[in-house]
Amino acid sequence: MSLWSRISNALRGERLNREIEEELQSHIEEAIASGHDPDEAHRTFGSILRQREASHNIRVAGWLESLLADVRFGWRQLCRNKVTSLAAVLSLALGIGSCVAAFRLIDALLWRPLPISNSSKLYVLSRKLTGLEGKPIDDGYWATPDFKLMRDAVKDQADLIAISDAERTDIILSAGDDVEKAHVVYVSGNVFPLFGLEPALGRLLAPADDRASGAGPYAVLSWDYWNHRFGRDPHVLGRSLHISDQTFEIIGVGPRDFTGTEKGTVADIFLPVSMSSLAAHENVTWQRTFLMLKSGVNPATALEPLRQHLSAVSHAFEIECSTCFRGVPQATIDRLFDKKLVLHPAGAGISDLQKDYRRFLGVLGLLAALVLLIACVNVANMMTAQAVARAQEMALRISIGAGRRRLVQLILCQSALLAVFASALGALFAAWSAPFVLSLVNPPDNPARLALPADWRVLLFGSGLLILVVLLLGLLPALRASAVRPVAVLKGGEDPHSPRRLMRGAIAVQVAFCCLVLFLSSLFVASFQHLQNRPLGFSTDRLLLLETVAGKGQLPVVWNQTAEALRAVPGVNSVAISGWPLLGRIMINSDISINGAPPSSTPAFFLNASPGWLSTMKIPLVSGRDFRPQDASPGAAIVNETFVKTYFPGQDPIGRTFERGANQPLNTIVGVTPDVPYHDLREPTRAVFYVPFDEIGDQSAPKAVDFATFVIHTDSQNPLALADSLRQFIAQRHNGLRVSNITTQLNLVRDQTIRERLLATLAAFFAAVALLLAGIGLYAVLNYSVLQRRREIGIRMAIGSTRAGIVRIVTLDVFLMIALGGCTGITLGFGAAHYVASLFYRVKATDADMISLPACAILLTALVATLPAVFRALRTDPTEILRAE
Amino acid sequence: MPKTDALQGSLDLLVLKILSRRPRLHGYAIMTAIASTSGEVLRAEQGSLYPALHRMEEAGWIRAEWIKKDTGRRARIYELTAAGKKQLGAEESRWQSVSLAINRVLREV
């Protein structure tokens, strides 16, 4: 109570003084009333002022009172230079907001533990091996039978959990409803109990639901899906859900904050692993495998033996597996067996988004931090200049007895005020920008989704940042100001160069940071430009893609008839069919065996394509011919130039044959095309072959096709305008074909560059801000320095210094600092670029224009920023200065 | 305002004691009460009375209140709180033991 009353008293200091005074006055009046002489009463009472001071100090929290006074004083200081203060607050707000936003994204995607119990005991199993292209890869997918063996082997010490990645799946909620998309996740039955999750409604999946194949047709909805799709309707329990030919019963809704383990994707529907058709295959690796240590098991000692045990079990499974390596070349088998099982902590979930965006977010955080530092240097410079201007005041304060601590407090208060205002603005900026950047990650029709709560983690980071900023801004000026020697200052002759030295050092730091930002940005922008301007080898113009499915499959003739019917639709220019679109999500490799030899260790990738597909895609033929309607697979094949180089070096490929694996039917090469990107714009050129869309099965009968893509060249500039009518057109034919997904070839190409585009945009933004701030900082320091050296410049002019000489003394040391900072920045840039090289596309940190671009930008900015100060110096009138002295 | 702990302690004790006997007194009345009950031997120094009162108020031993006097002026009157009563007990027993000890020393010499 006492502290509280002292604090509240501090807030009403003046009123308190009046009250104390009134009480003391009433005392004297009482004395007079009881017969004392007024003069004597006053005399015996002593000094009222002194007593009031004594009482005042007792009744208020002195530290708070002085703090309030300092805050008031700091506020007045800020108000005195409104424009400067506003610029300082805005630049700091931008820096703080960007840092907090970057932290929110990094934390949400990479660090924040999943909302489950024992997240610290959760690990994920993967295998390190050498990939197809000879690079080390981390394979995190497992076959379910392998998983079951490993699960049983370690069940005394740990629980193994199977969770598939969320797959955007066609579902029908009840008979008669339209098909819609939902993210379906297959989980083993032990997930919910092990994660300690409680249902929001109904029940969750249990181990019994996952016991045998097809025995658990039950679905659990995520809370999020239940909320946005069903409006939290409690009657959802018991309703059915259809996925292709399976029917599931909805039995419950998961807890509110659990969205699955795949950060970046919100799971909609959880199904038992045993209900997936993939679970029965020994050679299909499709599910992630998590490991949860049992309680009481010490991770430090138990993990390595567990890893070795799991590795041995999995190895034994693969050796046993009869279907795993049928027809696979020995070299590939050797490569696949040469691997190491590893356990990674997975308490923060696991997803491809994490893998793809880890470096990206690191760069984002670095750029944001650098911009904040540049802004801090600017504001610290401003405060140093103000502190120098106040050196007389400080000296006076010290001479009349102000403690140095109090002076430090005075200046820190001002920097804290700036930082607090900037933080408030920055928080608003972060609240807007973090979700905004997140919404630009992933294609617009399937955006990344992450919980971005503003909870204690963000608050803690924000407060830490605030304190850091206060110290960065204020500590140096505060210590400088408090170290003022009153005698020297009041005499008017302290070393006038020392604050400038400090500020010049700051310039070097600022230029170094700015250079680093510019350097990285130019690398990212160049990467994006190279990627975007990469020659495709096919045209994306007016190409509509209808990804179509056919339940249990339809014969090629049905697909071809549909294509023929689509050609007759007005607005359609040409129609072709391919197995899947180029640059889509699908890539399938195939072994290649020449003349009955064992398959080569480098596989090729393939695509089924109908006659006319090449011309619809505007892919030219280098030699040979396109497919004809009577061509079928196996039989004819068209190959790309890399395929020729790989398998038929130096030969004419037309008419030559290859097999897709040992003892497979022959394919005759009928045409050669140039290389076009197959799956990824960044990929090295792959060997690709095309086979006819019509496939012949084992008994010489046509093979049914269950999914393919209609590639439609439209007359209209916007191919999507036709999308809905064509979808209905196909549905109305009632031949079992159904359009599952609509996109354009242009969108698929654009989706390839999303990360690079986003990074380039953000980097360019930060570079512009950094350059602007550095320019402002440079201008301010030079201007200040010229003002300070007015006397010196005047004297130099008076004794005959040339204009060039004046310019030299004004700018020389600054440009030295810029050069020093620039070199440091580029050196730092090389280090940083090495770390993020995986984000580059066909650029190297050592490219000449990557270094010259930021250097030129800095120099140009420096020139523009120094000009006003130089002119000011040249306009100095020596007579005026000397007269004033 | 230099002052030894013993003196300050005894002023607190006197004020608390006066207020325990006669609640709701203003500063001047407390001062005169100390003087009159001690037979004009003890005189609270006026300069230290108010700081002492305010300190004890902040410590929560006494509680203050403004009242209107007949003259129309306001006066600030004080009364003991529960914490003050406890403090008074402690101060009294401390005083007893100190004075006992001093008396014992005086007798011995």
Side-chain angles (χ1 to χ4, degrees), chain A residues 555-580:
Chain A
L555 292 176
V557 60
V558 176
W559 291 87
N560 288 327
Q561 281 166 358
T562 307
E564 197 54 52
L566 284 170
R567 279 180 199 116
V569 175
V572 171
N573 188 314
S574 69
V575 178
I577 316 175
S578 63
W580 50 87

PDB file of all heavy atoms in Angstrom, chain A residues 555-580:
ATOM      1  N   LEU A 555     -10.899 -45.983 -70.633  1.00  0.00           N
ATOM      2  CA  LEU A 555     -10.022 -46.366 -71.738  1.00  0.00           C
ATOM      3  C   LEU A 555      -9.579 -45.116 -72.508  1.00  0.00           C
ATOM      4  O   LEU A 555     -10.314 -44.122 -72.568  1.00  0.00           O
ATOM      5  CB  LEU A 555     -10.751 -47.331 -72.675  1.00  0.00           C
ATOM      6  CG  LEU A 555     -11.036 -48.686 -72.035  1.00  0.00           C
ATOM      7  CD1 LEU A 555     -11.833 -49.553 -72.984  1.00  0.00           C
ATOM      8  CD2 LEU A 555      -9.722 -49.368 -71.655  1.00  0.00           C
ATOM      9  N   PRO A 556      -8.388 -45.159 -73.105  1.00  0.00           N
ATOM     10  CA  PRO A 556      -7.898 -43.987 -73.845  1.00  0.00           C
ATOM     11  C   PRO A 556      -8.896 -43.485 -74.879  1.00  0.00           C
ATOM     12  O   PRO A 556      -8.983 -42.287 -75.115  1.00  0.00           O
ATOM     13  CB  PRO A 556      -6.627 -44.510 -74.509  1.00  0.00           C
ATOM     14  CG  PRO A 556      -6.170 -45.629 -73.634  1.00  0.00           C
ATOM     15  CD  PRO A 556      -7.409 -46.245 -73.065  1.00  0.00           C
ATOM     16  N   VAL A 557      -9.656 -44.393 -75.438  1.00  0.00           N
ATOM     17  CA  VAL A 557     -10.584 -43.958 -76.480  1.00  0.00           C
ATOM     18  C   VAL A 557     -11.605 -42.965 -75.924  1.00  0.00           C
ATOM     19  O   VAL A 557     -11.972 -41.991 -76.574  1.00  0.00           O
ATOM     20  CB  VAL A 557     -11.273 -45.183 -77.145  1.00  0.00           C
ATOM     21  CG1 VAL A 557     -12.053 -45.978 -76.130  1.00  0.00           C
ATOM     22  CG2 VAL A 557     -12.180 -44.743 -78.289  1.00  0.00           C
ATOM     23  N   VAL A 558     -12.015 -43.161 -74.663  1.00  0.00           N
ATOM     24  CA  VAL A 558     -12.973 -42.241 -74.047  1.00  0.00           C
ATOM     25  C   VAL A 558     -12.327 -40.864 -73.893  1.00  0.00           C
ATOM     26  O   VAL A 558     -12.919 -39.823 -74.176  1.00  0.00           O
ATOM     27  CB  VAL A 558     -13.426 -42.782 -72.675  1.00  0.00           C
ATOM     28  CG1 VAL A 558     -14.345 -41.785 -71.976  1.00  0.00           C
ATOM     29  CG2 VAL A 558     -14.124 -44.128 -72.833  1.00  0.00           C
ATOM     30  N   TRP A 559     -11.066 -40.860 -73.446  1.00  0.00           N
ATOM     31  CA  TRP A 559     -10.342 -39.595 -73.295  1.00  0.00           C
ATOM     32  C   TRP A 559     -10.191 -38.906 -74.639  1.00  0.00           C
ATOM     33  O   TRP A 559     -10.405 -37.694 -74.751  1.00  0.00           O
ATOM     34  CB  TRP A 559      -8.960 -39.852 -72.689  1.00  0.00           C
ATOM     35  CG  TRP A 559      -8.980 -40.305 -71.247  1.00  0.00           C
ATOM     36  CD1 TRP A 559      -9.097 -41.578 -70.800  1.00  0.00           C
ATOM     37  CD2 TRP A 559      -8.874 -39.470 -70.094  1.00  0.00           C
ATOM     38  NE1 TRP A 559      -9.074 -41.600 -69.422  1.00  0.00           N
ATOM     39  CE2 TRP A 559      -8.930 -40.317 -68.969  1.00  0.00           C
ATOM     40  CE3 TRP A 559      -8.745 -38.096 -69.905  1.00  0.00           C
ATOM     41  CZ2 TRP A 559      -8.871 -39.840 -67.662  1.00  0.00           C
ATOM     42  CZ3 TRP A 559      -8.669 -37.625 -68.603  1.00  0.00           C
ATOM     43  CH2 TRP A 559      -8.737 -38.478 -67.492  1.00  0.00           C
ATOM     44  N   ASN A 560      -9.846 -39.697 -75.663  1.00  0.00           N
ATOM     45  CA  ASN A 560      -9.643 -39.088 -76.978  1.00  0.00           C
ATOM     46  C   ASN A 560     -10.939 -38.523 -77.540  1.00  0.00           C
ATOM     47  O   ASN A 560     -10.932 -37.459 -78.159  1.00  0.00           O
ATOM     48  CB  ASN A 560      -9.051 -40.119 -77.948  1.00  0.00           C
ATOM     49  CG  ASN A 560      -7.600 -40.413 -77.614  1.00  0.00           C
ATOM     50  OD1 ASN A 560      -6.889 -39.519 -77.150  1.00  0.00           O
ATOM     51  ND2 ASN A 560      -7.173 -41.649 -77.807  1.00  0.00           N
ATOM     52  N   GLN A 561     -12.049 -39.243 -77.285  1.00  0.00           N
ATOM     53  CA  GLN A 561     -13.350 -38.729 -77.758  1.00  0.00           C
ATOM     54  C   GLN A 561     -13.676 -37.408 -77.077  1.00  0.00           C
ATOM     55  O   GLN A 561     -14.180 -36.469 -77.680  1.00  0.00           O
ATOM     56  CB  GLN A 561     -14.458 -39.738 -77.475  1.00  0.00           C
ATOM     57  CG  GLN A 561     -14.492 -40.874 -78.471  1.00  0.00           C
ATOM     58  CD  GLN A 561     -15.346 -42.035 -77.998  1.00  0.00           C
ATOM     59  OE1 GLN A 561     -15.893 -41.995 -76.890  1.00  0.00           O
ATOM     60  NE2 GLN A 561     -15.449 -43.059 -78.834  1.00  0.00           N
ATOM     61  N   THR A 562     -13.373 -37.344 -75.767  1.00  0.00           N
ATOM     62  CA  THR A 562     -13.647 -36.115 -75.028  1.00  0.00           C
ATOM     63  C   THR A 562     -12.810 -34.969 -75.592  1.00  0.00           C
ATOM     64  O   THR A 562     -13.304 -33.852 -75.764  1.00  0.00           O
ATOM     65  CB  THR A 562     -13.349 -36.331 -73.535  1.00  0.00           C
ATOM     66  OG1 THR A 562     -14.044 -37.474 -73.093  1.00  0.00           O
ATOM     67  CG2 THR A 562     -13.768 -35.117 -72.714  1.00  0.00           C
ATOM     68  N   ALA A 563     -11.542 -35.272 -75.883  1.00  0.00           N
ATOM     69  CA  ALA A 563     -10.680 -34.242 -76.464  1.00  0.00           C
ATOM     70  C   ALA A 563     -11.244 -33.772 -77.795  1.00  0.00           C
ATOM     71  O   ALA A 563     -11.274 -32.576 -78.093  1.00  0.00           O
ATOM     72  CB  ALA A 563      -9.269 -34.788 -76.639  1.00  0.00           C
ATOM     73  N   GLU A 564     -11.714 -34.712 -78.581  1.00  0.00           N
ATOM     74  CA  GLU A 564     -12.298 -34.374 -79.888  1.00  0.00           C
ATOM     75  C   GLU A 564     -13.512 -33.462 -79.709  1.00  0.00           C
ATOM     76  O   GLU A 564     -13.667 -32.469 -80.405  1.00  0.00           O
ATOM     77  CB  GLU A 564     -12.704 -35.689 -80.590  1.00  0.00           C
ATOM     78  CG  GLU A 564     -12.926 -35.562 -82.063  1.00  0.00           C
ATOM     79  CD  GLU A 564     -11.729 -34.951 -82.780  1.00  0.00           C
ATOM     80  OE1 GLU A 564     -10.609 -35.453 -82.577  1.00  0.00           O
ATOM     81  OE2 GLU A 564     -11.923 -33.953 -83.526  1.00  0.00           O
ATOM     82  N   ALA A 565     -14.355 -33.803 -78.713  1.00  0.00           N
ATOM     83  CA  ALA A 565     -15.546 -32.989 -78.458  1.00  0.00           C
ATOM     84  C   ALA A 565     -15.151 -31.599 -77.993  1.00  0.00           C
ATOM     85  O   ALA A 565     -15.779 -30.604 -78.376  1.00  0.00           O
ATOM     86  CB  ALA A 565     -16.423 -33.677 -77.401  1.00  0.00           C
ATOM     87  N   LEU A 566     -14.093 -31.514 -77.169  1.00  0.00           N
ATOM     88  CA  LEU A 566     -13.655 -30.203 -76.691  1.00  0.00           C
ATOM     89  C   LEU A 566     -13.176 -29.326 -77.849  1.00  0.00           C
ATOM     90  O   LEU A 566     -13.341 -28.109 -77.838  1.00  0.00           O
ATOM     91  CB  LEU A 566     -12.511 -30.373 -75.684  1.00  0.00           C
ATOM     92  CG  LEU A 566     -12.893 -30.834 -74.275  1.00  0.00           C
ATOM     93  CD1 LEU A 566     -11.648 -31.199 -73.479  1.00  0.00           C
ATOM     94  CD2 LEU A 566     -13.682 -29.753 -73.553  1.00  0.00           C
ATOM     95  N   ARG A 567     -12.595 -29.959 -78.875  1.00  0.00           N
ATOM     96  CA  ARG A 567     -12.092 -29.189 -80.022  1.00  0.00           C
ATOM     97  C   ARG A 567     -13.216 -28.461 -80.736  1.00  0.00           C
ATOM     98  O   ARG A 567     -12.993 -27.435 -81.362  1.00  0.00           O
ATOM     99  CB  ARG A 567     -11.374 -30.122 -81.008  1.00  0.00           C
ATOM    100  CG  ARG A 567      -9.951 -30.413 -80.570  1.00  0.00           C
ATOM    101  CD  ARG A 567      -9.196 -31.329 -81.515  1.00  0.00           C
ATOM    102  NE  ARG A 567      -8.065 -31.877 -80.782  1.00  0.00           N
ATOM    103  CZ  ARG A 567      -7.890 -33.159 -80.503  1.00  0.00           C
ATOM    104  NH1 ARG A 567      -8.765 -34.053 -80.945  1.00  0.00           N
ATOM    105  NH2 ARG A 567      -6.865 -33.562 -79.791  1.00  0.00           N
ATOM    106  N   ALA A 568     -14.422 -28.997 -80.621  1.00  0.00           N
ATOM    107  CA  ALA A 568     -15.546 -28.397 -81.327  1.00  0.00           C
ATOM    108  C   ALA A 568     -16.155 -27.232 -80.556  1.00  0.00           C
ATOM    109  O   ALA A 568     -16.981 -26.507 -81.081  1.00  0.00           O
ATOM    110  CB  ALA A 568     -16.619 -29.462 -81.581  1.00  0.00           C
ATOM    111  N   VAL A 569     -15.749 -27.048 -79.300  1.00  0.00           N
ATOM    112  CA  VAL A 569     -16.331 -25.960 -78.499  1.00  0.00           C
ATOM    113  C   VAL A 569     -15.824 -24.631 -79.041  1.00  0.00           C
ATOM    114  O   VAL A 569     -14.636 -24.490 -79.307  1.00  0.00           O
ATOM    115  CB  VAL A 569     -15.938 -26.117 -77.019  1.00  0.00           C
ATOM    116  CG1 VAL A 569     -16.427 -24.924 -76.193  1.00  0.00           C
ATOM    117  CG2 VAL A 569     -16.495 -27.408 -76.456  1.00  0.00           C
ATOM    118  N   PRO A 570     -16.728 -23.662 -79.227  1.00  0.00           N
ATOM    119  CA  PRO A 570     -16.283 -22.350 -79.716  1.00  0.00           C
ATOM    120  C   PRO A 570     -15.292 -21.727 -78.741  1.00  0.00           C
ATOM    121  O   PRO A 570     -15.467 -21.813 -77.527  1.00  0.00           O
ATOM    122  CB  PRO A 570     -17.571 -21.516 -79.764  1.00  0.00           C
ATOM    123  CG  PRO A 570     -18.688 -22.483 -79.644  1.00  0.00           C
ATOM    124  CD  PRO A 570     -18.175 -23.732 -79.019  1.00  0.00           C
ATOM    125  N   GLY A 571     -14.253 -21.110 -79.265  1.00  0.00           N
ATOM    126  CA  GLY A 571     -13.245 -20.480 -78.404  1.00  0.00           C
ATOM    127  C   GLY A 571     -12.059 -21.378 -78.138  1.00  0.00           C
ATOM    128  O   GLY A 571     -11.049 -20.928 -77.616  1.00  0.00           O
ATOM    129  N   VAL A 572     -12.205 -22.661 -78.489  1.00  0.00           N
ATOM    130  CA  VAL A 572     -11.096 -23.587 -78.289  1.00  0.00           C
ATOM    131  C   VAL A 572     -10.317 -23.704 -79.586  1.00  0.00           C
ATOM    132  O   VAL A 572     -10.886 -23.931 -80.627  1.00  0.00           O
ATOM    133  CB  VAL A 572     -11.607 -24.968 -77.833  1.00  0.00           C
ATOM    134  CG1 VAL A 572     -10.463 -25.987 -77.848  1.00  0.00           C
ATOM    135  CG2 VAL A 572     -12.226 -24.872 -76.461  1.00  0.00           C
ATOM    136  N   ASN A 573      -9.008 -23.517 -79.488  1.00  0.00           N
ATOM    137  CA  ASN A 573      -8.194 -23.534 -80.683  1.00  0.00           C
ATOM    138  C   ASN A 573      -7.638 -24.927 -80.951  1.00  0.00           C
ATOM    139  O   ASN A 573      -7.804 -25.488 -82.015  1.00  0.00           O
ATOM    140  CB  ASN A 573      -7.067 -22.519 -80.475  1.00  0.00           C
ATOM    141  CG  ASN A 573      -6.270 -22.303 -81.718  1.00  0.00           C
ATOM    142  OD1 ASN A 573      -5.898 -23.266 -82.366  1.00  0.00           O
ATOM    143  ND2 ASN A 573      -6.022 -21.050 -82.056  1.00  0.00           N
ATOM    144  N   SER A 574      -6.975 -25.504 -79.937  1.00  0.00           N
ATOM    145  CA  SER A 574      -6.520 -26.882 -80.094  1.00  0.00           C
ATOM    146  C   SER A 574      -6.528 -27.574 -78.753  1.00  0.00           C
ATOM    147  O   SER A 574      -6.465 -26.922 -77.714  1.00  0.00           O
ATOM    148  CB  SER A 574      -5.120 -26.928 -80.723  1.00  0.00           C
ATOM    149  OG  SER A 574      -4.188 -26.429 -79.784  1.00  0.00           O
ATOM    150  N   VAL A 575      -6.624 -28.893 -78.760  1.00  0.00           N
ATOM    151  CA  VAL A 575      -6.701 -29.664 -77.517  1.00  0.00           C
ATOM    152  C   VAL A 575      -5.746 -30.840 -77.627  1.00  0.00           C
ATOM    153  O   VAL A 575      -5.692 -31.513 -78.662  1.00  0.00           O
ATOM    154  CB  VAL A 575      -8.138 -30.193 -77.273  1.00  0.00           C
ATOM    155  CG1 VAL A 575      -8.176 -31.034 -75.993  1.00  0.00           C
ATOM    156  CG2 VAL A 575      -9.137 -29.061 -77.189  1.00  0.00           C
ATOM    157  N   ALA A 576      -4.986 -31.066 -76.574  1.00  0.00           N
ATOM    158  CA  ALA A 576      -4.134 -32.254 -76.517  1.00  0.00           C
ATOM    159  C   ALA A 576      -4.259 -32.845 -75.114  1.00  0.00           C
ATOM    160  O   ALA A 576      -4.801 -32.209 -74.208  1.00  0.00           O
ATOM    161  CB  ALA A 576      -2.690 -31.882 -76.817  1.00  0.00           C
ATOM    162  N   ILE A 577      -3.758 -34.069 -74.953  1.00  0.00           N
ATOM    163  CA  ILE A 577      -3.812 -34.703 -73.632  1.00  0.00           C
ATOM    164  C   ILE A 577      -2.399 -35.076 -73.218  1.00  0.00           C
ATOM    165  O   ILE A 577      -1.621 -35.592 -74.030  1.00  0.00           O
ATOM    166  CB  ILE A 577      -4.677 -35.988 -73.641  1.00  0.00           C
ATOM    167  CG1 ILE A 577      -5.981 -35.762 -74.414  1.00  0.00           C
ATOM    168  CG2 ILE A 577      -4.980 -36.443 -72.224  1.00  0.00           C
ATOM    169  CD1 ILE A 577      -6.814 -37.022 -74.564  1.00  0.00           C
ATOM    170  N   SER A 578      -2.072 -34.804 -71.975  1.00  0.00           N
ATOM    171  CA  SER A 578      -0.810 -35.338 -71.443  1.00  0.00           C
ATOM    172  C   SER A 578      -1.124 -36.005 -70.116  1.00  0.00           C
ATOM    173  O   SER A 578      -2.165 -35.745 -69.507  1.00  0.00           O
ATOM    174  CB  SER A 578       0.219 -34.217 -71.262  1.00  0.00           C
ATOM    175  OG  SER A 578      -0.236 -33.284 -70.317  1.00  0.00           O
ATOM    176  N   GLY A 579      -0.210 -36.869 -69.682  1.00  0.00           N
ATOM    177  CA  GLY A 579      -0.436 -37.568 -68.419  1.00  0.00           C
ATOM    178  C   GLY A 579      -0.581 -36.574 -67.275  1.00  0.00           C
ATOM    179  O   GLY A 579      -1.418 -36.717 -66.396  1.00  0.00           O
ATOM    180  N   TRP A 580       0.277 -35.578 -67.277  1.00  0.00           N
ATOM    181  CA  TRP A 580       0.216 -34.514 -66.277  1.00  0.00           C
ATOM    182  C   TRP A 580       0.881 -33.299 -66.884  1.00  0.00           C
ATOM    183  O   TRP A 580       1.590 -33.430 -67.893  1.00  0.00           O
ATOM    184  CB  TRP A 580       0.899 -34.948 -64.978  1.00  0.00           C
ATOM    185  CG  TRP A 580       2.276 -35.506 -65.181  1.00  0.00           C
ATOM    186  CD1 TRP A 580       3.438 -34.802 -65.238  1.00  0.00           C
ATOM    187  CD2 TRP A 580       2.626 -36.882 -65.386  1.00  0.00           C
ATOM    188  NE1 TRP A 580       4.487 -35.647 -65.456  1.00  0.00           N
ATOM    189  CE2 TRP A 580       4.023 -36.924 -65.554  1.00  0.00           C
ATOM    190  CE3 TRP A 580       1.897 -38.082 -65.451  1.00  0.00           C
ATOM    191  CZ2 TRP A 580       4.708 -38.128 -65.781  1.00  0.00           C
ATOM    192  CZ3 TRP A 580       2.586 -39.262 -65.678  1.00  0.00           C
ATOM    193  CH2 TRP A 580       3.980 -39.282 -65.836  1.00  0.00           C
TER     194      TRP A 580
END
